[in-house]
Amino acid sequence: MSLTNKESGDSASTHAYEAQETQTHSRWKSFKDSFKAAETMTADDLSDSEMDVVQRANQNASNSQLSRRLKNRHLQMIAIGGSIGTGLFVGSGSALATGGPGGIVIAWVITATSIFTTMQGLGELSTAFPISGGFNIYATRFIEPAFGFAVGWNYFMQFFVLLPLELVAASISVKYWNDDLNPVIFVAIFWVVVFFITMMGVRWYGEAEFVFCLIKVVTVIGFIILGIVLVCGGGPTKDFVGGRYWRDPGAFAHGFKGVCSVFVTAAFSFGGTEMISLGAAEAANPSKAIPQAIKQVFYRIVIFYFGTITLIATLVPYNDDRLLNADSDVDATASPFVIAIVNGGIKGLPSVINAVILIAVLSVGNASVYACSRSLNSLAEQGMAPKWTGYVDRLGRPLVAIIVTNVFGLFAFIAASDKQTEAFNWLLALSGLSSIFTWMSINMAHIRFRAAMKSQGRSLDELAFTSIVGTLGSWYGFIINFLVLIAQFWLSLFPIGVAPNASDFFQGYLGFPVVLISYIGYKIYSKNMRIYIPAEEIDLDSGRSVVDTDLIKQEEEEELARRADQPWWKWLIGFVF
């Protein structure tokens, strides 16, 4: 009997071991299989072999196998996280030095209005067509493929170069606490962190951005509250600042040219808000998530930017030497946030601000891999990049594009040397105007989309979300960005405080000839000299999100009613976060 029991126990142990082995083997097999190509139907598999470039691009983008796992809160934080970064925490200091308090407030207000109209048009397009590539494919689809090629590759280059730059910037930010630290060590650490997050898939990227952006938002809100206290003389020094620095040294620095230079900086500081369109193809419920994100994100950016910019302009004089003596683009000592806090007599907080700057840099680096990989995947789907770069695995990751982007990030090890600064400046110059061109293409794509809807007798009632400013708003956004291009040309030709020189001109305006050459080169390659796609020929159906508009309106009314019954503090928390 005991022998039988022993044999029975051994048998149970054996079965348990085998089950564990099978489970381990199954998990390992699932892990390996996740890297295999997703099964998808592309235009190459379809019976119609006579498709032109636009039809093929539309079909491939509509059948993309990217994972749809981004939630509404992810989309909102991706959009806001792309714009709250070193441009606000540090770059606003150089803008204050060149434009003065009046200059930065005027520039940010006007620029924000153009971003508002652009985001409205983008929201309409992204809700109707939540397809792979977002604004990259919209340029090809609604304007003309050469525009899509030029804008798409320029946008790709912007973020392709940005990753190693941000890795180096993060390593420099760490030196704020200890100058003896070797930045190469931290470049390696941060590269591994970014690589790990981006390889985990879009859901983990969304969660990481949510945490990063939450920290930045809390910091900005805290600074706004603290700034109001300091302006009113509630700090340790009891110094009532009021409007002192608006009178002395004055509201404007370097006259009209200084204000123009701030317009350029303000425009670049909002770069990244368009990423919400890239995320549309990976949103779980785009018809609901995108309109909410478009509506809420802009107002949050307005509050955060206008609140901080106004307080910075009030608390820091534009002639403060610390604004002009930055050793790098992430030098916390040159941050107007830090200067305002130090002037207010508060100790300890500058280190906190530097920690937030470090997080902001990592957030931008993380976002750059996302934007770069999705842009390259979109270009591959359109036949504008090598086909192998559009490889999507079974987890819905554009695997090859992610790896290519991360591998280029290793260039940061070379760039850790100060001798490579000039090389990076020229790399950045290749795509320095990318955001401007992207926004102009979004505005023009929306205008052409509305023209196609009218030409083909389609009603706007078909759309789940429509721009409240319509095509007039898109024309306004286009014109404002065009004026920024003119201002940048003038400033590149005649820099502030420096004699005209070829180096400054091309570093400031090299992006324009690069885009122009890309456009003309694709025209010659494709042998298609058509300027734009006629409105009656624009495809309004491929990849179109068909929704019950009556149901969406009902849900919106129910949501408004629910919010009306909430206590004010719950509504406020929901609005901010």
Side-chain angles (χ1 to χ4, degrees):
M1 184 70 177
S2 59
L3 181 61
T4 303
N5 289 339
K6 182 178 183 302
E7 290 175 348
S8 177
D10 291 343
S11 177
S13 300
T14 301
H15 285 305
Y17 175 78
E18 290 176 350
Q20 185 176 3
E21 282 290 300
T22 301
Q23 187 177 14
T24 302
H25 177 73
S26 177
R27 287 178 179 176
W28 174 245
K29 186 175 185 301
S30 297
F31 175 74
K32 290 194 300 180
D33 289 346
S34 69
F35 292 96
K36 293 182 178 179
E39 296 179 2
T40 179
M41 176 179 288
T42 65
D44 295 328
D45 304 316
L46 302 177
S47 58
D48 186 2
S49 59
E50 302 299 323
M51 284 185 173
D52 61 21
V53 174
V54 178
Q55 291 171 330
R56 188 176 295 271
N58 292 344
Q59 188 66 48
N60 287 346
S62 302
N63 289 285
S64 176
Q65 293 300 301
L66 294 177
S67 174
R68 289 188 174 274
R69 303 187 70 182
L70 283 179
K71 299 179 181 179
N72 184 19
R73 60 187 177 89
H74 295 153
L75 284 176
Q76 292 183 34
M77 285 302 185
I78 286 171
I80 197 171
S83 58
I84 297 182
T86 54
L88 177 63
F89 291 121
V90 181
S92 56
S94 61
L96 176 61
T98 56
I104 64 172
V105 170
I106 292 172
W108 254 269
V109 168
I110 294 177
T111 303
T113 58
S114 71
I115 296 299
F116 170 71
T117 60
T118 301
M119 289 287 284
Q120 284 288 313
L122 181 61
E124 181 174 308
L125 293 174
S126 299
T127 305
F129 302 94
I131 54 180
S132 172
F135 51 82
N136 287 338
I137 190 69
Y138 299 151
T140 298
R141 181 174 192 152
F142 300 118
I143 307 175
E144 207 275 329
F147 279 94
F149 179 85
V151 172
W153 273 108
N154 196 242
Y155 192 80
F156 167 82
M157 281 299 301
Q158 175 188 2
F159 286 98
F160 196 57
V161 176
L162 191 59
L163 175 59
L165 269 176
E166 294 302 317
L167 292 175
V168 174
S171 66
I172 294 174
S173 184
V174 172
K175 295 182 70 175
Y176 175 83
W177 292 289
N178 190 334
D179 287 335
D180 297 329
L181 295 173
N182 189 336
V184 174
I185 298 174
F186 292 96
V187 166
I189 293 173
F190 298 141
W191 183 86
V192 170
V193 171
V194 171
F195 181 83
F196 180 77
I197 291 174
T198 53
M199 286 296 293
M200 287 290 288
V202 69
R203 179 186 175 185
W204 289 102
Y205 161 73
E207 293 294 350
E209 279 303 288
F210 183 81
V211 174
F212 287 153
C213 298
L214 193 61
I215 294 172
K216 291 187 286 186
V217 168
V218 169
T219 301
V220 170
I221 293 174
F223 177 79
I224 290 175
I225 296 172
L226 176 62
I228 294 173
V229 172
L230 293 177
V231 168
C232 297
T237 61
K238 305 298 182 182
D239 180 20
F240 178 78
V241 178
R244 177 194 309 162
Y245 299 130
W246 286 73
R247 297 186 299 271
D248 182 21
F252 299 96
H254 302 103
F256 180 68
K257 181 179 285 190
V259 176
C260 287
S261 70
V262 178
F263 270 101
V264 176
T265 306
F268 291 159
S269 72
F270 282 100
T273 53
E274 70 284 340
M275 275 190 203
I276 195 170
S277 179
L278 292 177
E282 298 173 87
N285 186 2
S287 61
K288 183 177 181 179
I290 295 173
Q292 288 183 356
I294 290 291
K295 292 174 184 177
Q296 297 177 15
V297 166
F298 174 77
Y299 297 114
R300 294 173 183 178
I301 290 176
V302 167
I303 292 173
F304 299 150
Y305 263 99
F306 288 177
T308 53
I309 288 297
T310 301
L311 287 169
I312 285 169
T314 304
L315 290 169
V316 181
Y318 73 73
N319 59 355
D320 192 303
D321 291 337
R322 289 167 291 184
L323 294 175
L324 304 173
N325 295 328
D327 294 329
S328 70
D329 292 336
V330 289
D331 187 351
T333 60
S335 168
F337 285 69
V338 172
I339 294 173
I341 292 171
V342 171
N343 288 349
I346 300 175
K347 299 179 180 180
L349 280 183
S351 288
V352 174
I353 296 297
N354 188 68
V356 175
I357 291 174
L358 176 60
I359 291 172
V361 169
L362 289 175
S363 174
V364 174
N366 192 33
S368 68
V369 177
Y370 179 81
C372 193
S373 59
R374 271 58 181 182
S375 295
L376 183 56
N377 177 72
S378 174
L379 289 166
E381 289 175 340
Q382 298 176 62
M384 298 175 180
K387 187 176 180 179
W388 57 270
T389 60
Y391 182 94
V392 178
D393 67 15
R394 293 184 181 180
L395 289 182
R397 298 172 296 191
L399 193 62
V400 172
I402 291 174
I403 292 175
V404 167
T405 306
N406 278 305
V407 167
F408 186 75
L410 295 173
F411 186 69
F413 287 105
I414 302 174
S417 169
D418 293 337
K419 297 179 182 179
Q420 302 301 324
T421 302
E422 187 175 352
F424 259 125
N425 287 340
W426 284 106
L427 284 174
L428 276 177
L430 291 173
S431 57
L433 301 174
S434 177
S435 293
I436 306 298
F437 293 126
T438 297
W439 296 334
M440 291 176 73
S441 74
I442 291 170
N443 287 311
M444 189 51 62
H446 180 242
I447 292 169
R448 295 301 301 157
F449 168 68
R450 284 291 187 95
M453 291 285 286
K454 182 177 180 181
S455 175
Q456 299 179 29
R458 307 287 284 268
S459 172
L460 296 181
D461 292 335
E462 300 176 20
L463 305 177
F465 174 79
T466 56
S467 168
I468 63 174
V469 291
T471 54
L472 287 178
S474 292
W475 276 114
Y476 171 79
F478 183 89
I479 292 171
I480 291 296
N481 283 293
F482 181 73
L483 293 176
V484 171
L485 280 180
I486 295 176
Q488 178 67 0
F489 177 80
W490 180 39
L491 291 166
S492 299
L493 196 60
F494 302 102
I496 295 177
V498 181
N501 62 89
S503 178
D504 281 345
F505 175 77
F506 283 108
Q507 285 193 25
Y509 219 70
L510 184 60
F512 180 79
V514 167
V515 169
L516 186 62
I517 292 171
S518 299
Y519 173 79
I520 296 174
Y522 189 83
K523 280 291 185 185
I524 296 173
Y525 172 79
S526 63
K527 300 178 182 178
N528 184 351
M529 295 298 118
R530 182 171 60 177
I531 302 300
Y532 61 89
I533 302 173
E536 60 273 12
E537 296 181 17
I538 290 176
D539 180 5
L540 294 176
D541 295 309
S542 297
R544 177 80 170 271
S545 176
V546 180
V547 296
D548 186 341
T549 55
D550 292 333
L551 178 61
I552 290 177
K553 290 179 181 179
Q554 181 182 344
E555 290 177 346
E556 289 178 349
E557 291 174 357
E558 292 174 353
E559 179 66 16
L560 289 174
R562 185 185 66 81
R563 290 182 180 180
D565 294 334
Q566 284 183 340
W568 66 268
W569 57 271
K570 283 189 176 181
W571 177 88
L572 182 63
I573 292 174
F575 179 79
V576 174
F577 298 106

